[in-house]
Structures are given as structure tokens and as C-alpha cells.
Amino acid sequence: MSRKQLLAQKRQEFIEERGIICMNNVSMNYPEAGAPAIDDITLRIDPGEFVFIVGDSGSGKSTMIRLLLRELLPTSGDVCVMGYNTRKLRHSQIPAFRRNIGVVFQDFRLLKDRNVYENVAFAQRIIEVPSREMRRNVPSILAMVGLAGKYRSNVKKLSGGEQQRVALARALVNKPEILLADEPTGNLDPNNAWEIMDLLEEINEQGTTVVVVTHNPEIVNAMKKRVVTMKRGLIVNDEEEGTYVNED
Amino acid sequence: MKIRSLFYTLGQGFRNLFKNGWYSLASIATIGACLFLFCIFYSVVGNLRYILNNVEKGVSVQVFFNYDVSEERVQEIGKEIRNRVEVSKVIYHSDEEIWETFGPVWAGEDYDEVYMENPLVGEHNFEVYLNDVSLQSSLVTWLESMNEVRKVNYSEITANTLSGVNLIIAYISIGIIVILLAVSIFLINNTVRVGISVRTEEINIMKYVGATDFFVRAPFVLEGMIIGALGAALPLALTYNLYDYVLGYISGRFSVLAELLTFLPLDSVFSVLMPVCLIVGIGIGFLGSFITVHKHLRV
Ligand SMILES: Nc1ncnc2c1ncn2[C@@H]1O[C@H](COP(=O)(O)OP(=O)(O)O)[C@@H](O)[C@H]1O
Ligand SMILES: [Mg+2]
């Protein structure tokens, strides 16, 4: 067995034992901020799960996403994603690490000067996928999110729902192990929100672990998934087929 | 990096250039303006020095000897003068040569018959040229201290003026170069800062998708280098086209000074300006974009 295969096997064992995402007594204090944004959280998510993270604004949901992306390092505790301890990743390893995580944001974050195709192809160019494969992969993922006919459109001219689908296609085209979505429906009307959610569910059914931060009680309550509720940096509730109790 | 990524990077570099058209133009103009000032400055100073140098070369000291000093001793002293470091050239004028020059003036064509013998015996002398006129006074002191030397002819004012002007040019050069550097760094820093605000988001997106630092940086750095190269090409083209025209104009206006005003040829000015401008321009473009992107790669 080669060293690479051995490492892959060890990683697989680690994931089975500790989860694809694990946070152990994680705290995050932003410099010059008063209270911690994340306060001694412990959380485990297994491969193939679909998890909602809900909670008031300012409760630390986005901070959790940023910790999982290794955009931030926790002040204390360890964050493990796909068997990697984010604290132990060298700066040069971060890009390869992120290529296995797809991410979508409320504000889409598309390259606004490029068309739909280029925004999705961009993710493939980064991992140097051969052109021929890229020309196969990009249209097929665009078809999956329902944008087959619009691959030449300028993203600025698309509706919010369409833009989010482009972002989703970009996040998925490299077949990530995990999909993180930070309020993906926050800027969308209910119809579009539901379409995005249906796509997320479909992706999850194909085996990708999906973590969705959301503010939308109707969707959370209707979908009957695991719900992790946060409040002031703490996890106050975590239940299978949970509901979103909006306290506002 | 694979070939297709290289092409992609090249494409992106050029694309950025046009996409941020105004920003690119501002940067090119900024670098171009600074380098153009440098070109003008270099041309002016280069020519001033060239003219001064020509004048300096014409400044000489004449050494005469006591009448009782033997010819051999005079030649020995001549050798000593030649050996001094500040001396560039020594010309010996013998008694006969001087008589041949002045005889016809004093006594007409048949001067040789009017005078039975050379009346200028003992007027032989050395005409001494210097590398550096500022060293003239020390040479003169040394010459005058010799017992055999009767007289030293020289012009103190010319030498002092020339070395004074040289010194002033040196000071002004340093001053202007410092000012130019400061101004260009300030301007370029500002343009880069304006430009980067547009790119922060783009860089962030690239990093989220898992782009390596190199992949993110390469197009920006390439763009910076193209801007630098264009910023250098502009003033070079201007200088190239204006140089002969301006010199021609100056010669025309000051035709009285025609003999004094010999200028450096365009080729010799350009052989310095071209590499300096290109290296500085591309270097500024490279460093500017590299450093600015670097600050945003910590995501
Ligand atoms: N970059 C930052 N610097 C300082 N404090 C921050 C920063 N980002 C977020 N915070 C603070 O951390 C807390 C959690 O923020 P966030 O994770 O964005 O919450 P949520 O996404 O749940 O609304 C908030 O109190 C917020 O003000
Ligand atoms: Mg948030």
C-alpha cells in the first residue's frame, strides 16, 4: 500500500470514528470583541448528514462556517473537517483542503464580470481539470441546477434565484465531500428559496454532507432534518427532525 | 503549472487590464509621468555634464622654466608631470616650435633671415591638461614649488567656476531623484490602493473556491508588469521623438553658443534610458501588484 493510500485509509477511519465535521470545545474570540462569538462548542456531523444551523443573528453561525472553511482558526479547541485538523493545515495546504468543500453565501459571491459558464468553469480551472472534461462537467452541473439554457448569460442580469443556482453549481462542480451554505435563501423569495432547498436535498441524497445556516422557519420545520440551534455562541438545542423556534 | 493554466493566466492578465480600463490607464499614466520626468531630467543633466566635460577638457595649465635649466632636466620634469594622476595630457612646445609659430607674426615671412638665431630660446613649455579641473590648484601649487619653474599660467576663475557648477549639478541631481522617487511611490501606492478595493472580493472568491496563492496572484502580477511596461514605453517614445527636436530648437535659439553647445547623441542617451525605464517600470508594476495582492491572500 502506498503512503498516499495509507493516509487516505487513516483519514477514512478518523471520519468514521469522529465524524466528517467535529468541533471539540471550540471557542472563538474575535480580537477586540467583548463576548466570544463561539463559546466552548462541541459538535459532530457524520458523512451524508443534512444539518440546519439556526439561531438569532449574531449567535455565531457564520463564524462557525468560517471556522469550518479554515478562514479562521479557533481561539481554543480543535476543528476537524474531513479528517483534517484545521489548526495543523499549512498555508500551502489550505487551497487543496477547500477544494473538497463547496460553499454558498447569502450574497452569492459570483465573479460579476464573467458569464454563467465561466463562473462555474473557474472552479475547474483552479484544479486544472483537462478542458475536455471541463466542457462535459460544467454543462451537466448547470443542467442539474436548471440553468442549462443560460450558460452564456452575464450573471449580473440573472435573478437572485438564478444567481444562487450559479453559485451552487460552482460549489458542486468539483464534487465536494461537504457543502456549506450560509443563509443561501436569505435574499430569495419563497419560491426560489424552495427550489434551492430542493437542490440541496437532492445533492445530499447523492451523498454529499450538507450544512445549511438559515433564518427561515417554514423551510426548517417542513423539511424535518437535524436542527442545531445556536444562541450567543452556544449550542442550545440539537435534535433530529427538529424544528426552528423563532423567539423574536 | 500546466500549459493550459499558463494560457488562462495570460488571458486573465490581459483581461484584467481592459476590465479595469480606467484604473489601468491611471496606473500607466502615473508610472509614465514619473518616468518621463526622469527621462527629461536625465537628458538635461547628461547634456550639461557632457558640455561641461568638453569645456573642462579645454582648460590647460602652461609651465615655463628658468633659463638656466637644462633640456634634460626639463624633460625629466615633464615625465613627472605626466605621471601625476590628475593629468590627462601633456604637450611639449619646444623653442623651435614656438619660434616657427611666432616668427612670421613678428618679423614676416623671412623671419629666419632677420634674426640670426632664435630669440625665444628658453621659452619652451609644457601645456598640461587635467582629468578634473577641481584639482587644478593643487597641481599649480606643486608646479610652483619647483625651483626650476619660472612661471605657471592658468585661469583660476574658469577652473573654480567649472568645478562649482559640477558640484551644484550633483546636488540638484540627488535632490531631484529623491523627490521623483518619493512622488512616484506616493502616486503608485495610491493608484494601487484604489484598484485593489475592486479586487478584494474577487480574490476572496478565488480563495474560497480553493485557488492557490500563485493562481490568484499570477494574473494580477502579470497585469502589473504589463502596466509597468506600458508606463515605461510611453515616456521612452516621447523622449525618442522629442529629443532631437528640442536640441535642434535650443541650438537654433542660442546659435551664439554653437561651439559650446555640443549635445549627447540620442543613441547614447537612449542606451541608458531604455533599460532603466523598462526595469524601473516593470519592477514597480511587479512589486506593486505582488505586495498588494499579498496583503489580501491571508484569507
Ligand atoms: N470580523 C469580526 N470581528 C469582530 N467581531 C465579529 C466579527 N464577525 C462577527 N463578529 C461578532 O461575532 C458574533 C457572531 O457573529 P456571526 O458569526 O456573524 O453571527 P451570525 O452569523 O449568527 O449572525 C457577533 O456578535 C458579531 O458581532
Ligand atoms: Mg451570518
Side-chain angles (χ1 to χ4, degrees):
Chain A
M1 199 187 284
S2 76
R3 192 180 145 75
K4 212 172 167 182
Q5 285 170 316
L6 192 72
L7 281 175
Q9 193 193 332
K10 282 260 177 259
R11 207 160 67 79
Q12 215 47 52
E13 283 168 18
F14 183 97
I15 291 172
E16 272 162 36
E17 190 188 320
R18 317 257 311 260
I20 194 164
I21 289 172
C22 60
M23 304 178 91
N24 296 321
N25 300 99
V26 171
S27 293
M28 179 67 214
N29 287 73
Y30 286 106
E32 289 160 42
I38 297 273
D39 193 358
D40 198 24
I41 275 183
T42 297
L43 175 71
R44 169 185 176 143
I45 295 174
D46 280 311
E49 273 197 90
F50 189 117
V51 183
F52 280 119
I53 312 275
V54 301
D56 305 339
S57 102
S59 58
K61 307 181 296 295
S62 294
T63 302
M64 185 187 275
I65 297 290
R66 296 174 73 193
L67 286 169
L68 296 177
L69 276 171
R70 170 56 180 92
E71 195 185 325
L72 297 173
L73 278 178
T75 322
S76 65
D78 287 317
V79 174
C80 299
V81 182
M82 300 174 297
Y84 297 102
N85 185 336
T86 57
R87 204 184 282 292
K88 292 191 178 145
L89 288 172
R90 286 194 301 272
H91 181 74
S92 60
Q93 293 175 311
I94 296 175
F97 166 79
R98 288 194 184 140
R99 290 170 193 178
N100 288 312
I101 305 175
V103 57
V104 219
F105 298 96
Q106 179 172 8
D107 53 0
F108 321 132
R109 301 200 191 171
L110 299 173
L111 297 169
K112 293 190 185 67
D113 59 319
R114 283 166 232 212
N115 65 24
V116 170
Y117 183 90
E118 265 310 312
N119 264 280
V120 179
F122 180 73
Q124 296 247 288
R125 294 193 196 281
I126 282 171
I127 59 171
E128 305 200 296
V129 172
S131 314
R132 206 183 317 150
E133 277 182 42
M134 189 170 85
R135 282 197 292 270
R136 213 171 38 228
N137 294 342
V138 176
S140 92
I141 205 86
L142 283 175
M144 177 188 160
V145 298
L147 284 176
K150 296 222 169 181
Y151 70 97
R152 280 196 169 171
S153 307
N154 184 328
V155 294
K156 274 186 288 193
K157 295 191 180 131
L158 299 179
S159 73
E162 286 167 331
Q163 289 195 40
Q164 193 60 294
R165 280 187 263 172
V166 177
L168 197 54
R170 180 181 67 193
L172 295 174
V173 69
N174 291 345
K175 310 220 176 316
E177 295 179 43
I178 300 176
L179 183 77
L180 304 176
D182 191 353
E183 309 206 20
T185 60
N187 284 344
L188 305 181
D189 60 56
N191 270 343
N192 275 310
W194 269 113
E195 279 177 28
I196 294 293
M197 280 300 162
D198 288 343
L199 278 171
L200 292 176
E201 195 168 21
E202 188 181 331
I203 292 151
N204 175 245
E205 276 159 14
Q206 290 170 17
T208 305
T209 310
V210 176
V211 178
V212 184
V213 170
T214 186
H215 251 118
N216 190 321
E218 291 81 39
I219 287 177
V220 174
N221 294 338
M223 280 178 75
K224 309 239 180 312
K225 302 286 185 187
R226 176 175 168 194
V227 178
V228 174
T229 310
M230 296 187 64
K231 193 170 185 177
R232 289 198 211 98
L234 296 166
I235 292 179
V236 292
N237 198 14
D238 182 352
E239 56 182 325
E240 297 298 328
E241 298 196 17
T243 51
Y244 184 6
V245 187
N246 201 340
E247 295 178 356
D248 302 337
Chain B
M1 186 182 230
K2 301 204 172 110
I3 292 288
R4 62 172 165 277
S5 303
L6 185 73
F7 280 126
Y8 180 73
T9 298
L10 283 173
Q12 291 303 306
F14 279 99
R15 200 166 167 281
N16 280 351
L17 202 64
F18 290 105
K19 187 178 71 190
N20 310 303
W22 286 112
Y23 164 73
S24 304
L25 277 182
S27 307
I28 291 171
T30 304
I31 295 178
C34 292
L35 287 176
F36 188 54
L37 286 178
F38 172 77
C39 286
I40 293 176
F41 172 69
Y42 178 81
S43 304
V44 170
V45 170
N47 276 299
L48 264 181
R49 293 203 68 116
Y50 184 69
I51 291 167
L52 277 178
N53 218 329
N54 280 340
V55 175
E56 276 184 25
K57 275 190 198 141
V59 175
S60 67
V61 173
Q62 243 180 335
V63 195
F64 294 88
F65 298 91
N66 288 324
Y67 295 114
D68 56 2
V69 180
S70 71
E71 176 76 23
E72 292 79 46
R73 181 66 191 130
V74 167
Q75 292 307 331
E76 267 175 41
I77 294 174
K79 233 178 255 165
E80 271 185 65
I81 298 175
R82 265 188 200 94
N83 284 339
R84 287 181 70 91
V85 283
E86 73 268 36
V87 172
S88 69
K89 194 169 68 171
V90 178
I91 299 170
Y92 177 62
H93 298 291
S94 66
D95 292 346
E96 290 72 33
E97 186 196 330
I98 297 168
W99 181 225
E100 274 166 32
T101 315
F102 289 100
V105 182
W106 289 354
E109 277 307 313
D110 47 357
Y111 67 99
D112 242 358
E113 282 151 39
V114 176
Y115 287 86
M116 295 306 289
E117 55 184 64
N118 184 351
L120 296 177
V121 168
E123 293 300 329
H124 58 173
N125 62 68
F126 288 111
E127 195 177 334
V128 183
Y129 291 90
L130 294 153
N131 297 321
D132 180 351
V133 283
S134 66
L135 298 171
Q136 180 183 276
S137 67
S138 71
L139 179 73
V140 168
T141 312
W142 175 72
L143 288 170
E144 283 178 335
S145 72
M146 272 188 281
N147 289 329
E148 295 88 344
V149 170
R150 170 163 52 95
K151 186 173 71 173
V152 180
N153 279 353
Y154 61 95
S155 162
E156 206 165 358
I157 296 174
T158 316
N160 284 349
T161 312
L162 282 176
S163 50
V165 170
N166 259 337
L167 206 63
I168 291 172
I169 291 182
Y171 281 137
I172 294 178
S173 301
I174 293 170
I176 291 187
I177 284 177
V178 167
I179 293 171
L180 273 182
L181 266 180
V183 168
S184 52
I185 287 173
F186 173 76
L187 287 177
I188 286 160
N189 191 20
N190 264 358
T191 11
V192 167
R193 207 177 301 169
V194 171
I196 201 68
S197 60
V198 190
R199 290 124 192 268
T200 313
E201 202 190 344
E202 191 174 330
I203 292 174
N204 274 331
I205 293 169
M206 291 180 174
K207 295 298 287 178
Y208 277 129
V209 182
T212 56
D213 289 359
F214 181 83
F215 201 94
V216 173
R217 192 185 278 145
F220 289 109
V221 169
L222 191 76
E223 181 193 356
M225 285 167 70
I226 297 170
I227 285 176
L230 290 175
L234 223 62
L236 283 174
L238 266 177
T239 311
Y240 191 86
N241 286 302
L242 288 180
Y243 191 81
D244 283 333
Y245 174 79
V246 171
L247 291 191
Y249 178 79
I250 292 175
S251 303
R253 282 302 291 266
F254 303 95
S255 48
V256 201
L257 300 172
E259 226 169 275
L260 198 64
L261 293 177
T262 46
F263 295 113
L264 278 170
L266 177 59
D267 289 351
S268 80
V269 175
F270 235 64
S271 69
V272 174
L273 283 184
M274 182 119 109
V276 168
C277 284
L278 283 175
I279 289 171
V280 171
I282 295 175
I284 286 176
F286 176 86
L287 278 182
S289 48
F290 191 94
I291 292 169
T292 322
V293 177
H294 192 79
K295 279 191 216 152
H296 294 264
L297 280 175
R298 300 248 159 266
V299 189

